[in-house]
PDB file of all heavy atoms in Angstrom:
ATOM      1  N   PRO A 162    -161.013 100.469  84.577  1.00 80.00           N
ATOM      2  CA  PRO A 162    -160.029 100.404  85.663  1.00 80.00           C
ATOM      3  C   PRO A 162    -158.631 100.150  85.134  1.00 80.00           C
ATOM      4  O   PRO A 162    -158.446  99.567  84.065  1.00 80.00           O
ATOM      5  CB  PRO A 162    -160.522  99.221  86.502  1.00 80.00           C
ATOM      6  CG  PRO A 162    -161.255  98.358  85.531  1.00 80.00           C
ATOM      7  CD  PRO A 162    -161.909  99.298  84.565  1.00 80.00           C
ATOM      8  N   GLU A 163    -157.645 100.601  85.876  1.00 87.00           N
ATOM      9  CA  GLU A 163    -156.249 100.362  85.532  1.00 87.00           C
ATOM     10  C   GLU A 163    -155.726  99.179  86.335  1.00 87.00           C
ATOM     11  O   GLU A 163    -156.121  98.984  87.490  1.00 87.00           O
ATOM     12  CB  GLU A 163    -155.413 101.604  85.827  1.00 87.00           C
ATOM     13  CG  GLU A 163    -155.804 102.826  85.020  1.00 87.00           C
ATOM     14  CD  GLU A 163    -154.952 104.033  85.380  1.00 87.00           C
ATOM     15  OE1 GLU A 163    -154.099 103.907  86.298  1.00 87.00           O
ATOM     16  OE2 GLU A 163    -155.139 105.096  84.769  1.00 87.00           O
ATOM     17  N   PRO A 164    -154.847  98.376  85.774  1.00 89.00           N
ATOM     18  CA  PRO A 164    -154.316  97.221  86.510  1.00 89.00           C
ATOM     19  C   PRO A 164    -153.462  97.670  87.691  1.00 89.00           C
ATOM     20  O   PRO A 164    -152.737  98.672  87.601  1.00 89.00           O
ATOM     21  CB  PRO A 164    -153.484  96.493  85.455  1.00 89.00           C
ATOM     22  CG  PRO A 164    -153.116  97.550  84.461  1.00 89.00           C
ATOM     23  CD  PRO A 164    -154.286  98.474  84.404  1.00 89.00           C
ATOM     24  N   ASP A 165    -153.570  96.958  88.788  1.00 93.00           N
ATOM     25  CA  ASP A 165    -152.720  97.206  89.946  1.00 93.00           C
ATOM     26  C   ASP A 165    -151.419  96.452  89.715  1.00 93.00           C
ATOM     27  O   ASP A 165    -151.354  95.234  89.867  1.00 93.00           O
ATOM     28  CB  ASP A 165    -153.415  96.714  91.218  1.00 93.00           C
ATOM     29  CG  ASP A 165    -152.665  97.112  92.488  1.00 93.00           C
ATOM     30  OD1 ASP A 165    -151.482  97.518  92.367  1.00 93.00           O
ATOM     31  OD2 ASP A 165    -153.249  97.023  93.568  1.00 93.00           O
ATOM     32  N   LEU A 166    -150.391  97.180  89.339  1.00 95.00           N
ATOM     33  CA  LEU A 166    -149.144  96.566  88.901  1.00 95.00           C
ATOM     34  C   LEU A 166    -148.313  95.995  90.037  1.00 95.00           C
ATOM     35  O   LEU A 166    -147.219  95.481  89.811  1.00 95.00           O
ATOM     36  CB  LEU A 166    -148.319  97.585  88.106  1.00 95.00           C
ATOM     37  CG  LEU A 166    -149.010  98.102  86.843  1.00 95.00           C
ATOM     38  CD1 LEU A 166    -148.119  99.101  86.120  1.00 95.00           C
ATOM     39  CD2 LEU A 166    -149.387  96.947  85.917  1.00 95.00           C
ATOM     40  N   GLN A 167    -148.831  96.047  91.251  1.00 96.00           N
ATOM     41  CA  GLN A 167    -148.164  95.386  92.366  1.00 96.00           C
ATOM     42  C   GLN A 167    -148.303  93.871  92.245  1.00 96.00           C
ATOM     43  O   GLN A 167    -147.490  93.124  92.776  1.00 96.00           O
ATOM     44  CB  GLN A 167    -148.793  95.851  93.686  1.00 96.00           C
ATOM     45  CG  GLN A 167    -148.227  95.172  94.923  1.00 96.00           C
ATOM     46  CD  GLN A 167    -148.935  95.602  96.192  1.00 96.00           C
ATOM     47  OE1 GLN A 167    -149.861  96.417  96.154  1.00 96.00           O
ATOM     48  NE2 GLN A 167    -148.513  95.048  97.322  1.00 96.00           N
ATOM     49  N   TRP A 168    -149.339  93.444  91.498  1.00 96.00           N
ATOM     50  CA  TRP A 168    -149.685  92.027  91.434  1.00 96.00           C
ATOM     51  C   TRP A 168    -149.434  91.452  90.045  1.00 96.00           C
ATOM     52  O   TRP A 168    -149.422  92.179  89.052  1.00 96.00           O
ATOM     53  CB  TRP A 168    -151.157  91.826  91.811  1.00 96.00           C
ATOM     54  CG  TRP A 168    -151.522  92.423  93.112  1.00 96.00           C
ATOM     55  CD1 TRP A 168    -152.274  93.544  93.316  1.00 96.00           C
ATOM     56  CD2 TRP A 168    -151.118  91.976  94.414  1.00 96.00           C
ATOM     57  NE1 TRP A 168    -152.378  93.815  94.648  1.00 96.00           N
ATOM     58  CE2 TRP A 168    -151.673  92.872  95.351  1.00 96.00           C
ATOM     59  CE3 TRP A 168    -150.352  90.910  94.876  1.00 96.00           C
ATOM     60  CZ2 TRP A 168    -151.488  92.721  96.719  1.00 96.00           C
ATOM     61  CZ3 TRP A 168    -150.159  90.768  96.246  1.00 96.00           C
ATOM     62  CH2 TRP A 168    -150.725  91.657  97.145  1.00 96.00           C
ATOM     63  N   PHE A 169    -149.266  90.141  90.000  1.00 97.00           N
ATOM     64  CA  PHE A 169    -149.228  89.467  88.722  1.00 97.00           C
ATOM     65  C   PHE A 169    -150.600  89.614  88.067  1.00 97.00           C
ATOM     66  O   PHE A 169    -151.626  89.510  88.742  1.00 97.00           O
ATOM     67  CB  PHE A 169    -148.903  87.980  88.907  1.00 97.00           C
ATOM     68  CG  PHE A 169    -147.444  87.703  89.163  1.00 97.00           C
ATOM     69  CD1 PHE A 169    -146.962  87.607  90.463  1.00 97.00           C
ATOM     70  CD2 PHE A 169    -146.561  87.554  88.099  1.00 97.00           C
ATOM     71  CE1 PHE A 169    -145.619  87.357  90.701  1.00 97.00           C
ATOM     72  CE2 PHE A 169    -145.214  87.301  88.330  1.00 97.00           C
ATOM     73  CZ  PHE A 169    -144.737  87.211  89.635  1.00 97.00           C
ATOM     74  N   GLN A 170    -150.600  89.855  86.777  1.00 95.00           N
ATOM     75  CA  GLN A 170    -151.840  90.032  86.044  1.00 95.00           C
ATOM     76  C   GLN A 170    -152.178  88.770  85.261  1.00 95.00           C
ATOM     77  O   GLN A 170    -151.292  88.066  84.764  1.00 95.00           O
ATOM     78  CB  GLN A 170    -151.725  91.214  85.081  1.00 95.00           C
ATOM     79  CG  GLN A 170    -151.504  92.547  85.772  1.00 95.00           C
ATOM     80  CD  GLN A 170    -152.712  92.988  86.595  1.00 95.00           C
ATOM     81  OE1 GLN A 170    -153.857  92.931  86.115  1.00 95.00           O
ATOM     82  NE2 GLN A 170    -152.470  93.422  87.827  1.00 95.00           N
ATOM     83  N   GLY A 171    -153.475  88.487  85.157  1.00 92.00           N
ATOM     84  CA  GLY A 171    -153.920  87.336  84.397  1.00 92.00           C
ATOM     85  C   GLY A 171    -154.081  87.675  82.927  1.00 92.00           C
ATOM     86  O   GLY A 171    -153.614  88.716  82.459  1.00 92.00           O
ATOM     87  N   ARG A 172    -154.735  86.808  82.212  1.00 89.00           N
ATOM     88  CA  ARG A 172    -155.002  87.062  80.802  1.00 89.00           C
ATOM     89  C   ARG A 172    -155.950  88.249  80.682  1.00 89.00           C
ATOM     90  O   ARG A 172    -156.753  88.508  81.572  1.00 89.00           O
ATOM     91  CB  ARG A 172    -155.606  85.826  80.141  1.00 89.00           C
ATOM     92  CG  ARG A 172    -154.711  84.612  80.239  1.00 89.00           C
ATOM     93  CD  ARG A 172    -155.272  83.436  79.477  1.00 89.00           C
ATOM     94  NE  ARG A 172    -155.217  83.676  78.029  1.00 89.00           N
ATOM     95  CZ  ARG A 172    -155.248  82.705  77.122  1.00 89.00           C
ATOM     96  NH1 ARG A 172    -155.330  81.444  77.512  1.00 89.00           N
ATOM     97  NH2 ARG A 172    -155.208  82.965  75.835  1.00 89.00           N
ATOM     98  N   PRO A 173    -155.870  89.012  79.599  1.00 81.00           N
ATOM     99  CA  PRO A 173    -156.700  90.217  79.478  1.00 81.00           C
ATOM    100  C   PRO A 173    -158.179  89.887  79.444  1.00 81.00           C
ATOM    101  O   PRO A 173    -158.601  88.903  78.841  1.00 81.00           O
ATOM    102  CB  PRO A 173    -156.238  90.852  78.163  1.00 81.00           C
ATOM    103  CG  PRO A 173    -155.658  89.720  77.391  1.00 81.00           C
ATOM    104  CD  PRO A 173    -155.025  88.812  78.408  1.00 81.00           C
ATOM    105  N   ALA A 174    -158.945  90.717  80.117  1.00 66.00           N
ATOM    106  CA  ALA A 174    -160.402  90.564  80.100  1.00 66.00           C
ATOM    107  C   ALA A 174    -161.043  91.940  80.194  1.00 66.00           C
ATOM    108  O   ALA A 174    -162.059  92.120  80.828  1.00 66.00           O
ATOM    109  CB  ALA A 174    -160.858  89.693  81.264  1.00 66.00           C
ATOM    110  N   ASN A 175    -160.412  92.930  79.569  1.00 46.00           N
ATOM    111  CA  ASN A 175    -160.932  94.294  79.653  1.00 46.00           C
ATOM    112  C   ASN A 175    -161.146  94.923  78.288  1.00 46.00           C
ATOM    113  O   ASN A 175    -161.217  96.132  78.148  1.00 46.00           O
ATOM    114  CB  ASN A 175    -159.981  95.181  80.466  1.00 46.00           C
ATOM    115  CG  ASN A 175    -158.591  95.244  79.852  1.00 46.00           C
ATOM    116  OD1 ASN A 175    -158.340  94.621  78.832  1.00 46.00           O
ATOM    117  ND2 ASN A 175    -157.707  95.996  80.454  1.00 46.00           N
ATOM    118  N   GLY A 176    -161.224  94.067  77.258  1.00 45.00           N
ATOM    119  CA  GLY A 176    -161.491  94.591  75.934  1.00 45.00           C
ATOM    120  C   GLY A 176    -160.243  94.845  75.118  1.00 45.00           C
ATOM    121  O   GLY A 176    -160.313  95.090  73.930  1.00 45.00           O
TER     122      GLY A 176
END
Side-chain angles (χ1 to χ4, degrees):
E163 298 179 357
D165 188 345
L166 299 180
Q167 177 183 0
W168 306 107
F169 282 94
Q170 297 293 313
R172 301 185 69 159
N175 59 359

